[in-house]
Amino acid sequence: MNLQEEFQERIGYRFQNRNLLRQALTHSSFSNERHMSRQANNERLEFLGDAVLELATSEFLFGKYPKYPEGELTRLRASMVCEQTLAFCTRELDLGKYLMLGKGEAMTGGRERKSILSDALEAVIGAVYLDGGFASAKEFIHRFILNDIEHKQLFFDSKTILQEVVQGNHGGELSYRLLKESGPDHDKKYLVAVEVDGTSLGRGEGRTKKSAEQEAAYHALLQLQQKKDE
């Protein structure tokens, strides 16, 4: 079974037009390296998928939270479709494994890069939409992005939630400490620890300090929840 066949098995959707799937999984670094057409990569599908995702998410939130005002629905939607959250959603799919990247991009960690993963996920949504219509795209979005929304809210609101937990239960001083900074200016990586009174609760990595802090806070919340359950 080749990788594209395996990916279709993984997402539970079979493409009638396999070229759409190939395009969705093709990063610009791959098409540039092989002097392919500019339309051969996934950027146009990403554009379309972004719009489909926003509509499906808006419809879902409108129905799920009938008492939320417009401002709260907008904030929640923005959190659900941001780069950090979409990249988090790709873990279940192991999407990076199936991407066609240029050699340089692959060698420098492109398969784990959040911007590449989130863009590719939107491209896959666009491809499913063109291949099977809005109903198929919506089913994909519900299964892999809008599922377990409470858990994902914990992820994208992690810093705020951790602050509330620490204030309510511990009363200690919450701080974030930069452990490591690596990579060139255009591709920085930050490793951050979140601490309460100097005791580390979790670590996170990201292309910005903010995203690294968010991931660290998320792991800290999971650790605190585990201790509570024991």
Side-chain angles (χ1 to χ4, degrees), residues 2 15 19 21 28-29 47 62 70 74 79 86 103 120 129 141 144-145 147-148 159 165 168 180 199 204 206-207 230:
N2 65 38
F15 280 82
N19 289 330
L21 173 59
S28 57
S29 62
F47 165 80
F62 185 86
E70 181 265 348
T74 299
S79 297
L86 291 180
K103 290 180 181 177
Y129 170 76
I141 291 165
F144 296 109
I145 298 172
N147 65 321
D148 194 15
K159 288 184 71 176
V165 169
K180 185 180 178 182
T199 301
R207 295 180 68 203
E230 288 174 352

Side-chain angles (χ1 to χ4, degrees), residues 20 105 169 177 221:
L20 283 170
E105 193 66 65
N169 299 338
R177 183 163 62 91
L221 285 167

Side-chain angles (χ1 to χ4, degrees), residues 38-95:
R38 291 182 65 183
Q39 279 71 45
N41 65 47
N42 63 11
E43 290 174 357
R44 282 172 53 83
L45 286 174
E46 175 207 335
F47 165 80
L48 180 61
D50 176 66
V52 174
L53 173 61
E54 187 159 309
L55 176 58
T57 303
S58 299
E59 182 187 68
F60 173 80
L61 295 175
F62 185 86
K64 185 173 177 64
Y65 301 106
K67 294 184 179 180
Y68 276 21
E70 181 265 348
E72 184 66 16
L73 289 172
T74 299
R75 185 199 69 80
L76 193 53
R77 182 183 63 195
S79 297
M80 288 300 294
V81 302
C82 73
E83 175 185 302
Q84 188 86 351
T85 306
L86 291 180
F88 178 75
C89 293
T90 66
R91 295 176 183 180
E92 182 181 351
L93 297 171
D94 196 13
L95 182 57

